[in-house]
Amino acid sequence: MNFDLIVIGGGTAGVLAAIKAASKKVEVAIVEQHSVCGGNATLSGLAEFNAASFLKKPIYHGFEKQIFEKLLEQKAGKYYYQLPMSSDKDIKVDRLRYNPEILKLILEELLSKNNVQVYYNTTFESAKKTESGFTVQAENFGHPLRLSSKYLIDATSNSLVADSLGCQVQPMHSNDITVSTQIFRLSNIDLRTLQDFIDSGALSAVVNQAFDEGIIKGKILAFAPIPGTMDASVNVTRTNTDYRDAQQLSEGLREGRQQISSIVAFIKKKIPGCDQAYLSNIAPIMGIRASVKLDGRSTLKLSDISNLRKFDDCVGVGCYPVDIHDPITKKVHFLKINGIYQIPFAVCLPKQDLNIAVVGKAISTDSETFAATRVMPIVMNVGESVGAIFAYAISNQKDVYNLPTSEIKAVMDQENLISRACEVN
């Protein structure tokens, strides 16, 4: 089957890219390995968009803004402004906490409304360059699926499509992989009592006790109340695993789950408001922070975001701090960024002249910058912008890799996805 654009990976970056392109009357298909889109936003249990605004000021527009607004309208989302990070109280960010189940429905509605063809439970296998574009080989429950298009967007979080096409990717060694998390959900919590306890500052002592007793593997115990419920998402388990190896990934999932029972018992005993809580859900996927990143035409560096460097081909903005989870000490190290930084289109493009872009966590950055740009509001912004640029290229029968910066900027100005956000600086 032939499409104008194929997006491989239906996480938030891929979904936003697909929806934006499809809204411009481009025929778009998504190849998604799970039975629902949204990736970490809907499946990992995270339940919060970190740095969804900057000092209470909105910085995201387009479909991303629509998604945020729909969550708020349905009482399934709530802003928490300048909320301290659980592992460093001096670092504060605006967060939008949400109900992942409602987010699934919102994304499905937008995909359907914009006529995006989604192939669920379909695993990407390979991509090949042809005279007319690309062919994508995938598999659905043992049945082969072959798709073709002149344009591809790699939203796999690991540059799988780019790598399959021979594009350069950054090497990643096992000891470079930061800790992963098996998030779970507790129900029947007295959320007001819990929040009062957190606000009192007493949680730190309890976290230290749990760590000293070996109940938790890192000095972090983060609760994210889920709007419209008496539930909270709990981010606390830690495991070191090379997720690229099937056996290690399986062992990591098992290790994360095995930590949960003793943690829940400890929380019920030691955390006010949680004595009647019960375990209601364990996320079906592990929260993995690492990524095999593209080695692109340009690489976004720590000095770029620290100095708030401006780019003529800007396709995204962010304000989340550098957030490095040390795999050895299990501690989190932060570097605050004092403002809104920009992300250029060039970090989404391979060095080869191909009509393909990488979106999501795997854009071309150094390791420190990755620890900032990997969060969902940023990847959604970049994904939507790249979708708009691809729609422009497809409609005008142009090659993405040859688009001049002036045309990229014109698209971004017209779509108003980042221009107003930059004025906050």
Side-chain angles (χ1 to χ4, degrees), residues 217-245:
K217 306 300 182 182
K219 289 190 174 183
I220 181 172
L221 174 54
F223 294 90
I226 298 175
T229 73
M230 296 175 63
D231 301 355
S233 170
V234 186
N235 181 342
V236 59
T237 67
R238 291 293 182 269
T239 180
N240 289 108
T241 182
D242 188 338
Y243 65 94
R244 300 167 298 177
D245 180 274

PDB file of all heavy atoms in Angstrom, residues 217-245:
ATOM      1  N   LYS A 217      15.706   1.437  45.496  1.00  0.00           N
ATOM      2  CA  LYS A 217      17.060   1.343  44.945  1.00  0.00           C
ATOM      3  C   LYS A 217      17.689   2.699  44.650  1.00  0.00           C
ATOM      4  O   LYS A 217      18.871   2.768  44.322  1.00  0.00           O
ATOM      5  CB  LYS A 217      17.033   0.506  43.661  1.00  0.00           C
ATOM      6  CG  LYS A 217      16.402  -0.867  43.825  1.00  0.00           C
ATOM      7  CD  LYS A 217      17.147  -1.711  44.841  1.00  0.00           C
ATOM      8  CE  LYS A 217      16.518  -3.102  44.958  1.00  0.00           C
ATOM      9  NZ  LYS A 217      17.203  -3.926  45.971  1.00  0.00           N
ATOM     10  N   GLY A 218      16.906   3.751  44.726  1.00  0.00           N
ATOM     11  CA  GLY A 218      17.426   5.096  44.506  1.00  0.00           C
ATOM     12  C   GLY A 218      16.724   6.061  45.433  1.00  0.00           C
ATOM     13  O   GLY A 218      15.659   5.747  45.979  1.00  0.00           O
ATOM     14  N   LYS A 219      17.303   7.208  45.633  1.00  0.00           N
ATOM     15  CA  LYS A 219      16.715   8.166  46.575  1.00  0.00           C
ATOM     16  C   LYS A 219      15.663   9.025  45.877  1.00  0.00           C
ATOM     17  O   LYS A 219      15.788  10.247  45.752  1.00  0.00           O
ATOM     18  CB  LYS A 219      17.802   9.029  47.207  1.00  0.00           C
ATOM     19  CG  LYS A 219      18.674   8.245  48.182  1.00  0.00           C
ATOM     20  CD  LYS A 219      19.584   9.159  48.986  1.00  0.00           C
ATOM     21  CE  LYS A 219      20.333   8.368  50.033  1.00  0.00           C
ATOM     22  NZ  LYS A 219      21.189   9.231  50.900  1.00  0.00           N
ATOM     23  N   ILE A 220      14.611   8.366  45.428  1.00  0.00           N
ATOM     24  CA  ILE A 220      13.507   9.062  44.793  1.00  0.00           C
ATOM     25  C   ILE A 220      12.225   8.282  45.034  1.00  0.00           C
ATOM     26  O   ILE A 220      12.194   7.058  44.920  1.00  0.00           O
ATOM     27  CB  ILE A 220      13.758   9.243  43.274  1.00  0.00           C
ATOM     28  CG1 ILE A 220      12.590  10.003  42.627  1.00  0.00           C
ATOM     29  CG2 ILE A 220      13.980   7.909  42.590  1.00  0.00           C
ATOM     30  CD1 ILE A 220      12.848  10.385  41.181  1.00  0.00           C
ATOM     31  N   LEU A 221      11.182   8.996  45.434  1.00  0.00           N
ATOM     32  CA  LEU A 221       9.844   8.432  45.601  1.00  0.00           C
ATOM     33  C   LEU A 221       8.877   9.533  45.160  1.00  0.00           C
ATOM     34  O   LEU A 221       8.596  10.460  45.915  1.00  0.00           O
ATOM     35  CB  LEU A 221       9.594   8.019  47.048  1.00  0.00           C
ATOM     36  CG  LEU A 221       8.177   7.529  47.410  1.00  0.00           C
ATOM     37  CD1 LEU A 221       7.729   6.406  46.494  1.00  0.00           C
ATOM     38  CD2 LEU A 221       8.120   7.093  48.872  1.00  0.00           C
ATOM     39  N   ALA A 222       8.413   9.435  43.920  1.00  0.00           N
ATOM     40  CA  ALA A 222       7.635  10.521  43.324  1.00  0.00           C
ATOM     41  C   ALA A 222       6.186  10.086  43.115  1.00  0.00           C
ATOM     42  O   ALA A 222       5.923   9.056  42.481  1.00  0.00           O
ATOM     43  CB  ALA A 222       8.254  10.936  41.991  1.00  0.00           C
ATOM     44  N   PHE A 223       5.268  10.883  43.657  1.00  0.00           N
ATOM     45  CA  PHE A 223       3.836  10.655  43.485  1.00  0.00           C
ATOM     46  C   PHE A 223       3.282  11.681  42.494  1.00  0.00           C
ATOM     47  O   PHE A 223       3.549  12.879  42.626  1.00  0.00           O
ATOM     48  CB  PHE A 223       3.086  10.813  44.810  1.00  0.00           C
ATOM     49  CG  PHE A 223       3.421   9.785  45.847  1.00  0.00           C
ATOM     50  CD1 PHE A 223       4.460   9.994  46.743  1.00  0.00           C
ATOM     51  CD2 PHE A 223       2.683   8.615  45.943  1.00  0.00           C
ATOM     52  CE1 PHE A 223       4.765   9.052  47.718  1.00  0.00           C
ATOM     53  CE2 PHE A 223       2.972   7.667  46.915  1.00  0.00           C
ATOM     54  CZ  PHE A 223       4.016   7.878  47.799  1.00  0.00           C
ATOM     55  N   ALA A 224       2.500  11.221  41.534  1.00  0.00           N
ATOM     56  CA  ALA A 224       1.816  12.122  40.602  1.00  0.00           C
ATOM     57  C   ALA A 224       0.317  11.864  40.710  1.00  0.00           C
ATOM     58  O   ALA A 224      -0.187  10.894  40.140  1.00  0.00           O
ATOM     59  CB  ALA A 224       2.295  11.912  39.175  1.00  0.00           C
ATOM     60  N   PRO A 225      -0.422  12.696  41.463  1.00  0.00           N
ATOM     61  CA  PRO A 225      -1.877  12.519  41.557  1.00  0.00           C
ATOM     62  C   PRO A 225      -2.521  12.574  40.180  1.00  0.00           C
ATOM     63  O   PRO A 225      -2.180  13.435  39.357  1.00  0.00           O
ATOM     64  CB  PRO A 225      -2.314  13.700  42.422  1.00  0.00           C
ATOM     65  CG  PRO A 225      -1.090  14.098  43.192  1.00  0.00           C
ATOM     66  CD  PRO A 225       0.059  13.832  42.267  1.00  0.00           C
ATOM     67  N   ILE A 226      -3.450  11.674  39.916  1.00  0.00           N
ATOM     68  CA  ILE A 226      -4.102  11.596  38.615  1.00  0.00           C
ATOM     69  C   ILE A 226      -5.440  12.323  38.701  1.00  0.00           C
ATOM     70  O   ILE A 226      -6.325  11.928  39.463  1.00  0.00           O
ATOM     71  CB  ILE A 226      -4.294  10.134  38.190  1.00  0.00           C
ATOM     72  CG1 ILE A 226      -2.917   9.469  38.051  1.00  0.00           C
ATOM     73  CG2 ILE A 226      -5.079  10.050  36.883  1.00  0.00           C
ATOM     74  CD1 ILE A 226      -2.963   7.996  37.761  1.00  0.00           C
ATOM     75  N   PRO A 227      -5.584  13.418  37.969  1.00  0.00           N
ATOM     76  CA  PRO A 227      -6.792  14.248  38.067  1.00  0.00           C
ATOM     77  C   PRO A 227      -8.075  13.445  37.832  1.00  0.00           C
ATOM     78  O   PRO A 227      -8.131  12.560  36.979  1.00  0.00           O
ATOM     79  CB  PRO A 227      -6.584  15.296  36.962  1.00  0.00           C
ATOM     80  CG  PRO A 227      -5.102  15.383  36.804  1.00  0.00           C
ATOM     81  CD  PRO A 227      -4.613  13.984  37.021  1.00  0.00           C
ATOM     82  N   GLY A 228      -9.095  13.784  38.629  1.00  0.00           N
ATOM     83  CA  GLY A 228     -10.387  13.136  38.486  1.00  0.00           C
ATOM     84  C   GLY A 228     -10.483  11.781  39.152  1.00  0.00           C
ATOM     85  O   GLY A 228     -11.496  11.086  39.003  1.00  0.00           O
ATOM     86  N   THR A 229      -9.452  11.376  39.878  1.00  0.00           N
ATOM     87  CA  THR A 229      -9.439  10.083  40.544  1.00  0.00           C
ATOM     88  C   THR A 229      -8.924  10.248  41.974  1.00  0.00           C
ATOM     89  O   THR A 229      -8.538  11.341  42.393  1.00  0.00           O
ATOM     90  CB  THR A 229      -8.524   9.082  39.812  1.00  0.00           C
ATOM     91  OG1 THR A 229      -7.142   9.435  40.052  1.00  0.00           O
ATOM     92  CG2 THR A 229      -8.774   9.088  38.314  1.00  0.00           C
ATOM     93  N   MET A 230      -8.887   9.148  42.690  1.00  0.00           N
ATOM     94  CA  MET A 230      -8.233   9.087  43.997  1.00  0.00           C
ATOM     95  C   MET A 230      -6.943   8.286  43.873  1.00  0.00           C
ATOM     96  O   MET A 230      -6.500   7.624  44.823  1.00  0.00           O
ATOM     97  CB  MET A 230      -9.178   8.449  45.025  1.00  0.00           C
ATOM     98  CG  MET A 230     -10.440   9.243  45.281  1.00  0.00           C
ATOM     99  SD  MET A 230     -11.601   8.383  46.380  1.00  0.00           S
ATOM    100  CE  MET A 230     -10.639   8.280  47.890  1.00  0.00           C
ATOM    101  N   ASP A 231      -6.333   8.375  42.703  1.00  0.00           N
ATOM    102  CA  ASP A 231      -5.151   7.581  42.378  1.00  0.00           C
ATOM    103  C   ASP A 231      -3.912   8.455  42.244  1.00  0.00           C
ATOM    104  O   ASP A 231      -3.998   9.665  42.047  1.00  0.00           O
ATOM    105  CB  ASP A 231      -5.359   6.831  41.055  1.00  0.00           C
ATOM    106  CG  ASP A 231      -6.554   5.910  41.074  1.00  0.00           C
ATOM    107  OD1 ASP A 231      -7.182   5.764  42.144  1.00  0.00           O
ATOM    108  OD2 ASP A 231      -6.872   5.336  40.016  1.00  0.00           O
ATOM    109  N   ALA A 232      -2.769   7.793  42.308  1.00  0.00           N
ATOM    110  CA  ALA A 232      -1.495   8.450  42.032  1.00  0.00           C
ATOM    111  C   ALA A 232      -0.586   7.486  41.301  1.00  0.00           C
ATOM    112  O   ALA A 232      -0.567   6.276  41.585  1.00  0.00           O
ATOM    113  CB  ALA A 232      -0.828   8.925  43.319  1.00  0.00           C
ATOM    114  N   SER A 233       0.138   8.018  40.355  1.00  0.00           N
ATOM    115  CA  SER A 233       1.193   7.277  39.682  1.00  0.00           C
ATOM    116  C   SER A 233       2.441   7.367  40.557  1.00  0.00           C
ATOM    117  O   SER A 233       2.781   8.442  41.059  1.00  0.00           O
ATOM    118  CB  SER A 233       1.455   7.894  38.309  1.00  0.00           C
ATOM    119  OG  SER A 233       2.602   7.351  37.716  1.00  0.00           O
ATOM    120  N   VAL A 234       3.125   6.237  40.753  1.00  0.00           N
ATOM    121  CA  VAL A 234       4.274   6.200  41.659  1.00  0.00           C
ATOM    122  C   VAL A 234       5.530   5.832  40.867  1.00  0.00           C
ATOM    123  O   VAL A 234       5.623   4.753  40.284  1.00  0.00           O
ATOM    124  CB  VAL A 234       4.057   5.198  42.808  1.00  0.00           C
ATOM    125  CG1 VAL A 234       5.216   5.291  43.811  1.00  0.00           C
ATOM    126  CG2 VAL A 234       2.732   5.463  43.519  1.00  0.00           C
ATOM    127  N   ASN A 235       6.473   6.748  40.859  1.00  0.00           N
ATOM    128  CA  ASN A 235       7.739   6.586  40.159  1.00  0.00           C
ATOM    129  C   ASN A 235       8.820   6.338  41.210  1.00  0.00           C
ATOM    130  O   ASN A 235       9.253   7.267  41.878  1.00  0.00           O
ATOM    131  CB  ASN A 235       8.033   7.852  39.344  1.00  0.00           C
ATOM    132  CG  ASN A 235       9.316   7.763  38.555  1.00  0.00           C
ATOM    133  OD1 ASN A 235      10.184   6.941  38.815  1.00  0.00           O
ATOM    134  ND2 ASN A 235       9.463   8.650  37.581  1.00  0.00           N
ATOM    135  N   VAL A 236       9.240   5.089  41.374  1.00  0.00           N
ATOM    136  CA  VAL A 236      10.188   4.779  42.438  1.00  0.00           C
ATOM    137  C   VAL A 236      11.099   3.601  42.108  1.00  0.00           C
ATOM    138  O   VAL A 236      12.257   3.588  42.509  1.00  0.00           O
ATOM    139  CB  VAL A 236       9.441   4.511  43.774  1.00  0.00           C
ATOM    140  CG1 VAL A 236       8.462   3.367  43.634  1.00  0.00           C
ATOM    141  CG2 VAL A 236      10.410   4.238  44.918  1.00  0.00           C
ATOM    142  N   THR A 237      10.616   2.592  41.384  1.00  0.00           N
ATOM    143  CA  THR A 237      11.455   1.425  41.113  1.00  0.00           C
ATOM    144  C   THR A 237      12.619   1.819  40.216  1.00  0.00           C
ATOM    145  O   THR A 237      12.532   2.752  39.424  1.00  0.00           O
ATOM    146  CB  THR A 237      10.659   0.290  40.445  1.00  0.00           C
ATOM    147  OG1 THR A 237      10.263   0.703  39.135  1.00  0.00           O
ATOM    148  CG2 THR A 237       9.424  -0.076  41.262  1.00  0.00           C
ATOM    149  N   ARG A 238      13.714   1.104  40.347  1.00  0.00           N
ATOM    150  CA  ARG A 238      14.898   1.371  39.546  1.00  0.00           C
ATOM    151  C   ARG A 238      15.552   0.065  39.140  1.00  0.00           C
ATOM    152  O   ARG A 238      15.678  -0.861  39.950  1.00  0.00           O
ATOM    153  CB  ARG A 238      15.915   2.228  40.332  1.00  0.00           C
ATOM    154  CG  ARG A 238      15.469   3.667  40.584  1.00  0.00           C
ATOM    155  CD  ARG A 238      15.409   4.434  39.288  1.00  0.00           C
ATOM    156  NE  ARG A 238      15.041   5.826  39.448  1.00  0.00           N
ATOM    157  CZ  ARG A 238      13.802   6.299  39.404  1.00  0.00           C
ATOM    158  NH1 ARG A 238      12.800   5.467  39.213  1.00  0.00           N
ATOM    159  NH2 ARG A 238      13.543   7.584  39.528  1.00  0.00           N
ATOM    160  N   THR A 239      15.967  -0.008  37.879  1.00  0.00           N
ATOM    161  CA  THR A 239      16.683  -1.182  37.394  1.00  0.00           C
ATOM    162  C   THR A 239      17.656  -0.765  36.306  1.00  0.00           C
ATOM    163  O   THR A 239      17.373   0.149  35.526  1.00  0.00           O
ATOM    164  CB  THR A 239      15.692  -2.239  36.852  1.00  0.00           C
ATOM    165  OG1 THR A 239      16.421  -3.369  36.379  1.00  0.00           O
ATOM    166  CG2 THR A 239      14.853  -1.688  35.726  1.00  0.00           C
ATOM    167  N   ASN A 240      18.808  -1.402  36.295  1.00  0.00           N
ATOM    168  CA  ASN A 240      19.792  -1.179  35.241  1.00  0.00           C
ATOM    169  C   ASN A 240      19.696  -2.316  34.233  1.00  0.00           C
ATOM    170  O   ASN A 240      19.897  -3.483  34.580  1.00  0.00           O
ATOM    171  CB  ASN A 240      21.211  -1.135  35.818  1.00  0.00           C
ATOM    172  CG  ASN A 240      21.463   0.113  36.629  1.00  0.00           C
ATOM    173  OD1 ASN A 240      21.544   0.052  37.850  1.00  0.00           O
ATOM    174  ND2 ASN A 240      21.590   1.248  35.966  1.00  0.00           N
ATOM    175  N   THR A 241      19.349  -1.985  33.020  1.00  0.00           N
ATOM    176  CA  THR A 241      19.207  -3.024  32.011  1.00  0.00           C
ATOM    177  C   THR A 241      19.485  -2.457  30.634  1.00  0.00           C
ATOM    178  O   THR A 241      19.181  -1.291  30.354  1.00  0.00           O
ATOM    179  CB  THR A 241      17.780  -3.624  32.049  1.00  0.00           C
ATOM    180  OG1 THR A 241      17.682  -4.662  31.095  1.00  0.00           O
ATOM    181  CG2 THR A 241      16.729  -2.578  31.731  1.00  0.00           C
ATOM    182  N   ASP A 242      20.099  -3.271  29.784  1.00  0.00           N
ATOM    183  CA  ASP A 242      20.273  -2.905  28.389  1.00  0.00           C
ATOM    184  C   ASP A 242      19.022  -3.369  27.661  1.00  0.00           C
ATOM    185  O   ASP A 242      18.870  -4.555  27.330  1.00  0.00           O
ATOM    186  CB  ASP A 242      21.524  -3.570  27.810  1.00  0.00           C
ATOM    187  CG  ASP A 242      21.855  -3.066  26.414  1.00  0.00           C
ATOM    188  OD1 ASP A 242      20.934  -2.549  25.735  1.00  0.00           O
ATOM    189  OD2 ASP A 242      23.016  -3.185  25.993  1.00  0.00           O
ATOM    190  N   TYR A 243      18.107  -2.445  27.424  1.00  0.00           N
ATOM    191  CA  TYR A 243      16.807  -2.775  26.864  1.00  0.00           C
ATOM    192  C   TYR A 243      16.886  -3.320  25.445  1.00  0.00           C
ATOM    193  O   TYR A 243      15.906  -3.862  24.915  1.00  0.00           O
ATOM    194  CB  TYR A 243      15.890  -1.549  26.893  1.00  0.00           C
ATOM    195  CG  TYR A 243      16.370  -0.420  26.007  1.00  0.00           C
ATOM    196  CD1 TYR A 243      15.910  -0.280  24.715  1.00  0.00           C
ATOM    197  CD2 TYR A 243      17.297   0.517  26.469  1.00  0.00           C
ATOM    198  CE1 TYR A 243      16.353   0.746  23.895  1.00  0.00           C
ATOM    199  CE2 TYR A 243      17.744   1.538  25.659  1.00  0.00           C
ATOM    200  CZ  TYR A 243      17.270   1.659  24.379  1.00  0.00           C
ATOM    201  OH  TYR A 243      17.720   2.676  23.575  1.00  0.00           O
ATOM    202  N   ARG A 244      18.048  -3.191  24.808  1.00  0.00           N
ATOM    203  CA  ARG A 244      18.210  -3.691  23.434  1.00  0.00           C
ATOM    204  C   ARG A 244      18.412  -5.205  23.393  1.00  0.00           C
ATOM    205  O   ARG A 244      18.311  -5.815  22.342  1.00  0.00           O
ATOM    206  CB  ARG A 244      19.400  -2.990  22.768  1.00  0.00           C
ATOM    207  CG  ARG A 244      19.260  -1.478  22.678  1.00  0.00           C
ATOM    208  CD  ARG A 244      20.578  -0.834  22.310  1.00  0.00           C
ATOM    209  NE  ARG A 244      21.602  -1.080  23.325  1.00  0.00           N
ATOM    210  CZ  ARG A 244      22.865  -0.679  23.235  1.00  0.00           C
ATOM    211  NH1 ARG A 244      23.240   0.004  22.153  1.00  0.00           N
ATOM    212  NH2 ARG A 244      23.736  -0.942  24.191  1.00  0.00           N
ATOM    213  N   ASP A 245      18.698  -5.793  24.549  1.00  0.00           N
ATOM    214  CA  ASP A 245      18.897  -7.232  24.660  1.00  0.00           C
ATOM    215  C   ASP A 245      17.642  -7.856  25.266  1.00  0.00           C
ATOM    216  O   ASP A 245      17.218  -7.478  26.356  1.00  0.00           O
ATOM    217  CB  ASP A 245      20.114  -7.516  25.551  1.00  0.00           C
ATOM    218  CG  ASP A 245      20.384  -8.996  25.716  1.00  0.00           C
ATOM    219  OD1 ASP A 245      19.778  -9.605  26.625  1.00  0.00           O
ATOM    220  OD2 ASP A 245      21.189  -9.545  24.949  1.00  0.00           O
TER     221      ASP A 245
END
